[in-house]
């Protein structure tokens, strides 16, 4: 299944939108304004009232599915054994052309192995002039095309100063460092981006 | 070191500050903090990964894969999202990757999705809620893994659609669409679920 389903067409009715949101009315996580609007619709819509009962029934049944009765303590003991073992050098096992695999391993590799290292030799410095200022590190989604990479960087108002490294990490220098928190928050929600964080390569405190 | 006794495991609390503080301690190498966080997330993660992969071994290994990431990178979390969203997001990716790997390399492994190709035909009318719960478990296996994940995250773990979008790394509209398709398919497989809708036409 694709990670990028088509968005519902414009021109949907209030009923269409309501029908889509019922599960989150049931689990109680809708923002207040959205909840009020949805409840108002459901009150006046017979099919939505019936659909709401269906969702409530479904929610109850999902919650009643048995949980696997295993001990967290035993799991933790296995974790401690793994922690005591020598750490695998994840990036070295990744074939450079397997970008998808590299992206999937990026979290472990980037955060567990690469953190706080100076830029490694495999980095390609593209724009030395942009070396100063606040930088962020990005790993793109597995299905992100090169045009997506360029578009994201352009939207950030930044410049790629390094990357991609073996795990698909780019470092981007920002022209508007005061907006870094807002930009990172936006990137967290961007489907083209798998990971985004302040770079550890700047020498600045994050 | 002695094992701590089993304790009831709370669901991931809506207490981000407590968990962020645990992460900060973990970043400083505090193993007791790791044990505490592990206790909070073990069962939610185990269930979540199991529901996606359908394989208990993958789920057990997946939980520890996630917690290894937490152990080695807790210091770089930096409050970019809620802790529970961050951790479940790691679990989501680990689960999908494990499922993909098991499909690719082991045709003998009985994955949920291999079972999914079997026709689903309840032979008896469900006579009690328990029966319906069993049938639902079977019906859930007919869904694509990403749809199963959204149903689980919504109805078992109680996440908002925005949190699910963060966990799955997709737009909120994709979350809503996946849920919509999942619900439609489940109603198709289990008409009993939607009995009120049949009456109301």
């Amino acid at each position: 299944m694709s990670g990028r389903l088509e968005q519902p067409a414009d021109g949907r009715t209030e009923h269409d939108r309501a029908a889509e949101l019922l599960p989150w009315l049931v689990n109680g996580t809708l923002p207040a304004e959205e909840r009020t609007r949805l409840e108002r619709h459901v009150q006046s819509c017979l099919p939505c009232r019936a659909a709401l009962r269906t969702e409530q029934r479904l929610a109850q049944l999902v919650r009643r599915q048995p949980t696997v009765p295993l001990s967290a303590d035993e799991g933790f003991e296995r974790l401690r054994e793994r922690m005591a073992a020598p750490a695998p050098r994840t990036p070295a096992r990744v074939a450079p052309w397997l970008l998808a695999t590299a992206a999937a391993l990026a979290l472990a590799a980037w955060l567990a192995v690469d953190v706080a290292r100076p830029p490694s030799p495999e980095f390609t410095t593209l724009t030395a002039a942009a070396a100063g200022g606040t930088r962020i590190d990005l790993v793109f989604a597995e299905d992100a095309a090169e045009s997506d990479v360029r578009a994201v960087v352009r939207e950030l108002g930044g410049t790629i100063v390094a990357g991609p490294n073996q795990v698909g990490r780019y470092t981007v220098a920002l022209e508007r460092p005061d907006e870094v928190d807002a930009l990172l928050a936006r990137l967290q929600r961007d489907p083209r981006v798998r990971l985004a964080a302040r770079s550890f390569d700047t020498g600045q405190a994050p | 070191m002695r094992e701590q006794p089993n304790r009831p495991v709370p669901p991931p609390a809506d207490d981000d500050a407590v968990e962020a503080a645990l992460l900060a301690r973990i970043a400083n190498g505090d193993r007791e903090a790791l044990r505490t966080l592990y206790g909070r997330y073990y069962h939610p993660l185990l269930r979540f990964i199991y529901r996606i992969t359908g394989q208990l071994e993958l789920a057990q290994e997946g939980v520890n894969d996630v917690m290894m990431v937490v152990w080695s990178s807790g210091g770089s979390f930096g409050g970019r999202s809620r802790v529970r969203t961050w951790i479940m997001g790691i679990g989501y990716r680990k689960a999908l990757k494990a499922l993909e790997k098991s499909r690719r390399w082991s045709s003998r492994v009985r994955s949920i999705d291999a079972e999914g190709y079997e026709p689903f035909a309840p032979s008896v009318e469900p006579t009690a809620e328990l029966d319906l719960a069993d049938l639902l478990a079977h019906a859930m296996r007919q869904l694509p893994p990403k749809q199963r994940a959204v149903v689980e995250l919504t109805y078992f773990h109680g996440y908002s659609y925005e949190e699910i979008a963060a966990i799955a790394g997709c737009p909120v509209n994709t979350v809503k669409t996946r849920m919509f398709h999942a619900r439609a398919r489940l109603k198709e497989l289990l008409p009993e679920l939607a009995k009120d809708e049949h009456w109301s036409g």
Side-chain angles (χ1 to χ4, degrees):
Chain A
M1 173 175 169
S2 163
R4 296 186 180 188
L5 294 175
E6 285 183 10
Q7 300 209 350
D10 286 334
R12 292 181 313 147
T13 63
E14 179 75 8
H15 173 77
D16 294 335
R17 294 178 201 283
E20 204 173 59
L21 288 173
L22 289 175
W24 294 282
L25 179 65
V26 170
N27 85 356
T29 59
L30 285 181
E33 192 178 322
E34 201 167 27
R35 187 184 70 232
T36 304
R37 183 173 165 181
L38 180 54
E39 284 172 342
R40 197 179 304 132
H41 172 82
V42 170
Q43 275 180 350
S44 63
C45 175
L46 197 60
C48 275
R49 283 213 299 278
L52 182 62
R53 285 193 291 275
T54 298
E55 291 309 312
Q56 288 164 337
R57 196 173 292 125
L58 176 58
Q60 281 177 2
L61 289 172
V62 170
R63 284 196 292 268
R64 283 175 50 180
Q65 305 288 301
T67 297
V68 189
L70 290 175
S71 157
D73 288 335
E74 286 173 17
F76 189 73
E77 282 310 307
R78 283 195 298 276
L79 180 69
R80 290 205 321 170
E81 287 164 16
R82 273 178 68 172
M83 287 159 58
R89 294 184 58 79
T90 307
R93 296 196 317 225
V94 179
W97 62 88
L98 291 176
L99 183 60
T101 305
L105 289 168
L107 187 65
W110 171 25
L111 298 176
V113 180
D114 264 358
V115 162
R117 252 192 224 167
S120 53
E122 67 266 31
F123 271 51
T124 307
T125 300
L126 301 178
T127 311
T134 298
R135 297 177 179 189
I136 59 174
D137 289 338
L138 294 174
V139 176
F140 289 85
E142 288 176 25
D143 57 351
E146 196 184 339
S147 57
D148 291 323
V149 173
R150 286 199 300 271
V152 167
V153 173
R154 190 171 58 243
E155 290 161 18
L156 288 172
T159 308
I160 295 175
V161 294
N165 71 354
Q166 283 188 316
V167 296
R169 186 182 72 182
Y170 290 82
T171 301
V172 175
L174 299 177
E175 290 173 11
R176 302 189 302 273
D178 52 322
E179 293 175 16
V180 64
D181 289 332
L183 290 172
L184 285 172
R186 201 173 81 201
L187 289 167
Q188 297 286 324
R189 297 189 296 270
D190 192 318
R192 297 166 297 183
V193 176
R194 176 179 287 266
L195 294 164
R198 285 175 186 266
S199 175
F200 288 85
D201 292 334
T202 60
Q204 297 177 345
Chain B
M1 183 181 292
R2 284 178 59 83
E3 287 268 2
Q4 290 190 352
N6 275 331
R7 288 165 301 196
V9 180
D14 192 15
D15 190 349
D16 205 45
V18 170
E19 296 188 344
L22 283 172
L23 271 186
R25 287 170 54 197
I26 289 168
N28 287 325
D30 185 335
R31 293 190 177 213
E32 272 311 301
L34 180 67
R35 180 189 277 275
T36 303
L37 197 70
Y38 192 95
R40 291 171 86 99
Y41 279 93
Y42 180 76
H43 284 104
L45 273 173
L46 186 72
R47 172 176 167 125
F48 181 51
I49 299 175
Y50 176 65
R51 291 288 171 208
I52 293 177
T53 63
Q55 297 173 50
L56 193 53
E57 279 184 16
L58 290 184
Q60 289 177 288
E61 194 181 328
V63 171
N64 281 4
D65 286 346
V66 173
M67 297 312 288
M68 279 298 285
V69 174
V70 170
W71 173 245
S72 56
S73 65
S76 60
F77 166 68
R80 297 189 298 275
S81 62
R82 297 175 74 189
V83 174
R84 69 179 200 151
T85 306
W86 181 62
I87 290 178
M88 294 298 272
I90 300 170
Y92 178 80
R93 292 188 291 278
K94 294 283 184 193
L96 289 180
K97 189 56 68 178
L99 182 59
E100 184 186 325
K101 197 173 167 185
S102 79
R103 279 171 168 172
R104 191 184 303 155
W105 295 109
S106 178
S107 58
R108 285 182 296 178
V109 172
R110 279 172 58 80
S111 75
I112 268 178
D113 290 62
E115 290 174 8
Y117 292 110
E118 296 168 9
F120 176 76
S123 56
V124 291
E125 286 290 313
T127 54
E129 286 296 306
L130 185 63
D131 295 331
L132 199 54
D134 290 341
L135 291 173
L136 177 69
H138 195 151
M140 287 279 283
R141 293 179 197 137
Q142 317 298 304
L143 302 178
K146 291 177 180 176
Q147 290 183 17
R148 279 203 297 273
V150 176
V151 174
E152 274 287 306
L153 289 168
T154 302
Y155 282 147
F156 187 80
H157 300 275
Y159 284 88
S160 69
Y161 58 71
E162 285 187 336
E163 288 175 312
I164 297 171
I167 288 167
C170 67
V172 291
N173 278 337
T174 303
V175 172
K176 292 175 187 173
T177 306
R178 284 178 188 164
M179 188 65 170
F180 193 80
H181 288 308
R183 292 159 59 203
R185 181 75 177 132
L186 289 174
K187 283 194 283 188
E188 199 177 288
L189 294 168
L190 272 182
E192 183 72 10
L193 263 184
K195 55 189 177 188
D196 297 315
E197 295 182 67
H198 303 315
W199 298 123
S200 66

